Amino acid sequence: MTDDDGAPKRKRRTGGRGARPTLNRDVIVATALAIIDADGLESLSMRKLGAQLGVDPMAVYYHLPNKAALFDGVVEAILSELGQDLISLAAKWKPDDEWSSEVVAVMSTYREVLRRHPYALPVVSTRPVRSPEALASFERILDAYTRAGFDLQSAVFAMTCAVEFTI
C-alpha cells in the first residue's frame, strides 16, 4: 500500500515515547525512488528523505551507510521491477522461440521499466548491478545469446551493447 504521494505506507511502532515509523532498507529505498519519480534526482536529499519518512535524516544512515548505497538500492528496486515484469513475460515464451525475439522482448520490457522512472536514469546508467534479481534478468539475456551460438565473451559484449542501447 502507498500513501497519496506514492511513498510506501509504514507500520507504526508503539513504545514508551510515542509512535515512530518502522524503518528498514526497503522502505527507505522505496521512499527515495518515490521522491525521485515525483521531483527528479536532484531533489533527493537525506533531509528531504528523512522528512518524508517522518524521521531524523541521520536515522537513514543506520540502514544505509551513505548516499551511494541509497542509489545502489534505487537501482536494485528498479531492476527488481524488471525481474517481476520478466517473470510474466517468460511465461509466454516457448522453447522454440527465436533468440532475437527474446532479447528484444527483454530489452523492450527493460525500456518500459525505465520509462516508469525517467528521473532515475542517470543513477541506473552509472551504478553497478549487484542484486540477485538484476543478475537473474541479465542471465536470461546471456542464455538467449548462448543458445544462439555466441561464446560467453561475445554474449556478454552483445548483452552490454543491448543494455546500453536501451538505456
Side-chain angles (χ1 to χ4, degrees):
M1 291 183 83
T2 60
D3 291 332
D4 294 336
D5 62 0
K9 285 193 176 196
R10 296 171 299 280
K11 295 179 185 174
R12 300 233 173 236
R13 284 188 284 195
T14 55
R17 292 186 280 173
R20 290 184 12 210
T22 299
L23 204 56
N24 62 49
R25 184 180 187 277
D26 292 339
V27 169
I28 294 167
V29 167
T31 304
L33 184 54
I35 291 170
I36 293 169
D37 287 345
D39 303 323
L41 183 61
E42 64 283 345
S43 71
L44 177 65
S45 68
M46 295 310 238
R47 181 173 289 147
K48 185 171 187 175
L49 181 59
Q52 188 74 27
L53 291 165
V55 300
D56 184 287
M58 296 307 290
V60 172
Y61 291 110
Y62 179 78
H63 301 278
L64 294 156
N66 51 41
K67 202 167 184 179
L70 178 63
F71 286 151
D72 288 345
V74 166
V75 171
E76 288 174 17
I78 291 170
L79 294 176
S80 180
E81 279 185 46
L82 172 63
Q84 292 302 312
D85 288 358
L86 289 180
I87 289 170
S88 60
L89 181 64
K92 301 173 190 172
W93 286 327
K94 297 170 188 68
D96 58 343
D97 282 349
E98 184 67 29
W99 69 271
S100 58
S101 299
E102 189 173 335
V103 171
V104 168
V106 169
M107 290 298 105
S108 296
T109 303
Y110 189 31
R111 183 174 184 269
E112 290 171 20
V113 170
L114 292 174
R115 287 176 58 97
R116 292 194 294 255
H117 306 287
Y119 295 128
L121 198 54
V123 174
V124 172
S125 63
T126 59
R127 303 302 305 170
V129 175
R130 295 187 180 123
S131 73
E133 296 88 357
L135 294 174
S137 299
F138 294 131
E139 280 181 32
R140 180 78 191 208
I141 301 166
L142 284 176
D143 182 54
Y145 282 123
T146 56
R147 281 186 282 115
F150 287 71
D151 62 75
L152 186 58
Q153 183 177 358
S154 297
V156 169
F157 180 74
M159 180 194 69
T160 302
C161 288
V163 168
E164 288 178 3
F165 178 77
T166 301
I167 290 173

